[in-house]
């Protein structure tokens, strides 16, 4: 799985309230959730994001509530992958489960700036920053998680998988 | 050379050994669902092509968060759940008269040492008090558990927490875990298990161990675990029967970190707004006036918590400016407190005693704080807006400190009123 996109860079503890505020928990339509992404934290994101773009965070990305709205809102804007030094546990699970790759990639925050173009080999475990030539290796996802992502998430994956 | 988590997860996933960092697919022994998260999980299950839950006997459903319903919408949600329970032939159903899921589940014998418990609630880690591996997940994950009885997990690293020393008269398990949160911080245990050891934990009641494990998530933890021992067996034997798989950590288990604490001489602890690791000694606070004291929740709504409060409130009147809300964590706790005369004394003191439920803990049912108000609470989260208005402040403490504060109207060391 090879992904390529522009970087949107954030810091530590990007919580689920920043990604989509709690008052939008009542939304059930992914399109509507996507409209609210980073509404208060970074309104420029929604205006500028392009399909395939990459979100980069530092530590504890996605901390806070267990709402699946947060990864759904990012995916709904075409985000192809979230890279961070570390993730909050439930966000990480929810992201993979809805088919949004989330990868722990030590060193990524220093290696990429906003607007840089990254190429991510998800299965090969390699991030290449095409803007500054830097390369980072990370522990590749295990094959079954790649299968979940390829299927578009855990629900579609299980829908066509007898043995699990 | 395995931690408790590694041993339980190896067995659950049918492997000789697993190590921290491994990804596993594993069967689940018990699935916990409640009224706020289940409807989304049902939808996920249907999307996975399943009509029926994998094993209705292993799914427990509890209506506890908004119990009884306080809005038309929650009444509707409860009925969707009741219909599901009937259609799925689930007999492990606890309606709005039962109490908080994390108390009701072990009380009814659903949790045993060595089990893998998955719950659609972040405080599922509470059940680690029984030597089980228990963790919370989101709705798609729970949908998969309902459909297949399985989940995927990354085997966590473990922080070993050794708690030694002797605790003062008014120092309780809640003070211990607040102190640990102060040391580790709100994300210091992300993805990890907290394994609690040491003399203080060995001497602690099962109820106290539940308080320790309950708050592992407040440090980002995946699980909190205490080794099951004779105390665990005695507690369980009154409610269920073995065999019990008493999983112990190997002597040469590999830990990510070890935290050694000697708590001799420690004061009662209070977590100040708006982070659980913003913890201070109670005497550092000065006279912080309060409008509400809430004694309850899956953290501290058990009989020993009510007894701690009772020791201070009995025969006295709560401060006229404080609304005091006491909510037993389950019907069994309520009944025992009633039989012991504790409830009557609470009522005489001017406290409000409400039916077992989550109540004021998450700001979605009863006992909300208004703008500018301050509350002291025995629950586990003091995030901005957690118990009502975003302009309110929540302080977390043991039942002793909450009861002492209820008497004086400001956050108080229990010794002051004893
Ligand atoms: S008592 Fe509070 S923390 Fe416990 S399950 Fe209920 S809402 Fe969650």
């Amino acid at each position: 799985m090879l992904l390529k996109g522009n970087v949107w860079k954030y810091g530590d503890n990007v919580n689920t309230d920043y990604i989509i505020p709690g008052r939008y928990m009542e939304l059930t339509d992914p399109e509507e959730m996507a409209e609210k992404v980073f509404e208060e934290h970074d309104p420029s994101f929604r205006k500028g994001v392009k399909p395939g773009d990459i979100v980069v965070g530092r530590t504890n990305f996605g901390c806070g509530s267990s709402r699946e709205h947060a990864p759904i809102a990012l995916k709904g804007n075409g985000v192809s992958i979230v890279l961070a030094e570390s993730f909050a546990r439930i966000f990480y699970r929810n992201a993979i489960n809805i088919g949004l790759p989330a990868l722990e990639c030590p060193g990524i925050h220093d290696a990429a700036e906003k607007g840089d173009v990254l190429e991510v080999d998800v299965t090969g475990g390699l991030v290449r920053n095409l803007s500054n030539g830097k390369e980072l290796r990370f522990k590749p996802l295990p094959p079954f998680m790649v299968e979940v992502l390829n299927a578009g998430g855990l629900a579609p994956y299980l829908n066509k998988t007898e043995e699990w | 050379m395995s931690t408790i988590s590694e041993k339980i997860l190896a067995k659950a996933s049918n492997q000789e050994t697993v190590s921290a960092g491994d990804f596993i697919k594993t069967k689940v022994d018990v699935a916990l669902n409640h009224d706020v998260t289940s409807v989304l999980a049902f939808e996920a299950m249907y999307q996975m092509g399943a009509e029926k839950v994998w094993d209705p006997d292993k799914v427990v459903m509890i209506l506890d968060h908004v119990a009884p319903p306080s809005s038309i919408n929650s009444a509707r949600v409860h009925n969707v759940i009741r219909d599901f329970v009937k259609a799925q032939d689930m007999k492990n159903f606890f309606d709005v008269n039962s109490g908080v899921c994390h108390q009701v589940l072990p009380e009814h014998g659903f949790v045993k040492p060595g089990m893998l418990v998955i719950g659609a609630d972040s405080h599922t880690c509470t059940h680690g008090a029984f030597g089980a591996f228990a963790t919370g997940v989101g709705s798609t994950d729970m949908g998969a558990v309902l459909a297949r009885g399985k989940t995927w997990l990354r085997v966590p690293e473990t922080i070993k927490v050794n708690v030694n020393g002797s605790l003062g008269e008014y120092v309780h398990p809640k003070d211990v875990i607040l102190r640990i949160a102060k040391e580790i911080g709100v994300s210091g245990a992300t993805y990890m298990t907290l394994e609690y050891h040491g003399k203080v934990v060995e001497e602690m009641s099962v109820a106290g161990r539940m308080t320790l494990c309950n708050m592992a998530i407040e440090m980002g933890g995946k699980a909190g675990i205490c080794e099951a021992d004779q105390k665990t067996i005695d507690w369980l034997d009154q409610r269920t029967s073995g065999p019990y798989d008493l999983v112990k950590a190997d002597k040469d288990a590999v830990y990510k970190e070890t935290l050694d604490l000697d708590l001799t001489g420690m004061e009662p602890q209070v977590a100040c707004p708006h982070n659980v690791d913003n913890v201070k000694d109670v005497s550092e606070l000065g006279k912080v006036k309060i409008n509400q004291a809430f004694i309850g929740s899956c953290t501290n709504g058990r009989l020993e918590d009510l007894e701690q409060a009772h020791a201070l409130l009995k025969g006295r009147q709560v401060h006229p400016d404080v609304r005091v809300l006491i909510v037993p964590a389950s019907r069994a706790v309520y009944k025992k407190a009633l039989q012991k005369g504790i409830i009557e004394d609470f009522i005489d003191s001017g406290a409000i005693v409400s039916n077992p439920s989550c109540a004021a803990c998450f700001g979605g049912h009863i006992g909300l704080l208004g703008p500018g108000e301050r509350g002291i609470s025995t629950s586990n989260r003091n995030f901005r807006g957690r118990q009502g208005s975003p302009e309110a402040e929540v302080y977390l403490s043991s039942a002793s400190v909450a009861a002492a504060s209820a008497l004086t109207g400001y956050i108080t060391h229990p010794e002051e009123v004893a």
Side-chain angles (χ1 to χ4, degrees), chain B residues 65 100-102 121 123 297-298 358 361-362 380 386:
Chain B
H65 276 61
V100 184
C101 55
H102 306 306
D121 185 274
H123 291 100
S297 86
C298 57
C358 296
C361 175
F362 74 111
N380 46 39
R386 172 77 176 176

Side-chain angles (χ1 to χ4, degrees), chain B residues 171-292:
Chain B
V171 178
H172 305 298
K174 180 60 160 289
D175 304 296
V176 174
I177 193 62
L178 289 178
R179 181 58 206 282
I180 294 170
K182 182 182 187 175
E183 296 289 329
I184 292 180
V186 290
S187 66
T190 301
Y191 302 139
M192 295 180 226
T193 297
L194 293 171
E195 224 182 77
Y196 303 106
H197 293 272
K199 175 172 157 277
V200 167
V201 181
E202 282 156 27
E203 288 171 359
M204 198 176 273
S205 66
V206 168
R209 294 174 188 176
M210 289 172 78
T211 305
L212 290 192
C213 292
N214 176 269
M215 291 188 68
I217 178 76
E218 307 317 330
M219 290 157 268
K222 178 179 272 185
I225 297 189
C226 296
E227 273 185 359
D229 60 10
Q230 191 56 44
K231 242 181 234 173
T232 324
I233 295 171
D234 294 344
W235 195 98
L236 290 170
D237 274 346
Q238 295 167 33
R239 294 155 174 100
T240 182
S241 56
Y244 307 129
D245 184 6
L246 304 187
V247 182
K248 306 270 179 201
D250 288 332
K251 287 254 161 9
D252 57 351
V254 179
Y255 293 97
K256 170 109 179 172
E257 279 167 49
T258 301
L259 173 66
D260 284 299
L261 292 173
D262 184 330
L263 300 186
T264 306
M266 181 180 75
E267 272 195 31
Q269 304 287 292
V270 178
C272 301
H274 295 284
N275 280 315
V276 180
D277 58 0
N278 185 16
V279 174
K280 300 198 167 96
D281 289 352
V282 63
S283 66
E284 272 181 79
L285 288 182
K287 283 207 172 183
V288 179
K289 281 193 66 170
I290 53 160
N291 308 88
Q292 176 167 291

Side-chain angles (χ1 to χ4, degrees), chain A residues 83-118:
Chain A
L83 302 171
E85 311 275 330
S86 67
F87 288 90
R89 190 182 75 78
I90 300 181
F91 176 89
Y92 181 78
R93 296 188 67 89
N94 289 347
I96 303 282
N97 284 341
I98 63 141
L100 173 68
L103 281 179
E104 260 184 59
C105 185
I108 188 65
H109 198 265
D110 285 342
E113 293 307 324
K114 188 176 174 192
D116 284 0
V117 181
L118 299 187

Side-chain angles (χ1 to χ4, degrees), chain A residues 60 66 68 86-90 92-94 96-98 104 139 142 144-145 154-155 157-159 161-162 164, chain B residues 21 23-25 44 47-49 122 135-141 144 148 150-153 187 190-191 221-222:
Chain A
N60 206 22
S66 68
E68 284 190 7
S86 67
F87 288 90
R89 190 182 75 78
I90 300 181
Y92 181 78
R93 296 188 67 89
N94 289 347
I96 303 282
N97 284 341
I98 63 141
E104 260 184 59
K139 201 175 163 192
F144 92 90
M145 279 172 68
L154 191 62
Y157 172 79
L158 286 183
N159 203 350
T161 313
E162 279 303 312
W164 195 62
Chain B
F23 283 86
I24 57 165
K25 282 183 258 180
Q47 277 173 26
M48 290 164 190
S122 60
T135 195
V137 296
S139 41
T140 301
D141 274 319
R148 303 287 178 98
K150 287 188 180 168
T151 195
W152 62 270
L153 289 172
S187 66
T190 301
Y191 302 139
K222 178 179 272 185

Side-chain angles (χ1 to χ4, degrees), chain A residues 9 13 30 37 40 49 66 79 82 101-103 117 125 132 143 148 153 162-163:
Chain A
K9 187 172 166 178
N13 302 318
V37 75
E40 285 154 16
V49 67
S66 68
V79 170
V82 184
L103 281 179
V117 181
N132 64 15
V148 169
E162 279 303 312
E163 260 319 298

